[in-house]
Amino acid sequence: MGSGKPRGLRAGRKLKTHRRIQRWADKDYNKRELATFYKYNPFQGASHSQGIVVEKIGIEAKQPNSAIRKCVRVLLKKNGKKITAFVPNDGCLAYLDDNDEVLVAGFGRKGKAVGDIPGVRFKIVKVAGCSLWALFTGKKEKTRR
């Protein structure tokens, strides 16, 4: 009645090797074993990273939305990689200047883009050691260096 898998007293090695080979078809197993998340993630496994603002850019939102999302290109200190980071809140791009030191965090989808902003996987948290939210609400002023 062929079940497709070997049976019997001496079938253990065959079953074991077949399972070992088939596990590589599982995407999550593959990622975990090869540690690709750490190798290709710009943060290299960290939750946050510091960088320097290279330029300010506007990215068009995906359909059906119509807007220009304010983003910045950031050069990371730890490995010299350039990433695009979203600047949250209305008018917060005004607090960012070129060559400012910023703290960047993930956007909350384990390395995937969020919402209607194509290809942007990170967001700005701090500018020059001061929280972007504190600047936005007016609780603090940006330090001039």
Side-chain angles (χ1 to χ4, degrees), residues 59-78:
I59 293 179
E60 272 190 50
K62 283 197 259 185
Q63 288 288 11
N65 296 343
S66 174
I68 294 174
R69 304 286 180 222
K70 308 306 183 278
C71 299
V72 288
R73 292 285 288 163
V74 177
L75 180 73
L76 296 181
K77 283 183 176 180
K78 75 189 309 182

Side-chain angles (χ1 to χ4, degrees), residues 4-133:
K5 62 176 82 168
R7 296 175 183 274
L9 291 174
R10 292 180 172 82
R13 180 183 291 138
K14 175 76 174 175
L15 288 166
K16 190 176 163 187
T17 54
H18 188 256
R19 171 57 41 224
R20 189 178 69 230
I21 292 163
Q22 288 303 309
R23 284 181 86 176
W24 288 99
D26 181 13
K27 186 174 70 174
D28 294 328
Y29 175 83
N30 215 325
K31 277 185 183 177
R32 189 171 62 245
E33 289 299 309
L34 296 175
T36 52
F37 178 75
Y38 300 110
K39 290 177 189 171
Y40 300 107
N41 178 11
F43 288 1
Q44 295 172 333
S47 61
H48 294 72
S49 188
Q50 283 192 327
I52 293 161
V53 175
V54 179
E55 63 174 331
K56 298 179 183 180
I57 52 174
I59 293 179
E60 272 190 50
K62 283 197 259 185
Q63 288 288 11
N65 296 343
S66 174
I68 294 174
R69 304 286 180 222
K70 308 306 183 278
C71 299
V72 288
R73 292 285 288 163
V74 177
L75 180 73
L76 296 181
K77 283 183 176 180
K78 75 189 309 182
N79 51 22
K81 288 184 180 178
K82 275 188 186 174
I83 60 168
T84 306
F86 175 67
V87 182
N89 303 321
D90 188 19
C92 277
L93 193 67
Y95 299 118
L96 283 148
D97 299 313
D98 286 1
N99 301 319
D100 267 353
E101 194 175 291
V102 291
L103 184 71
V104 186
F107 220 160
R109 272 198 67 203
K110 294 183 181 174
K112 292 181 173 66
V114 174
D116 62 0
I117 317 168
V120 179
R121 299 155 42 197
F122 308 100
K123 66 179 175 185
I124 302 293
V125 180
K126 282 185 175 182
V127 185
C130 186
S131 163
L132 200 62
W133 182 251

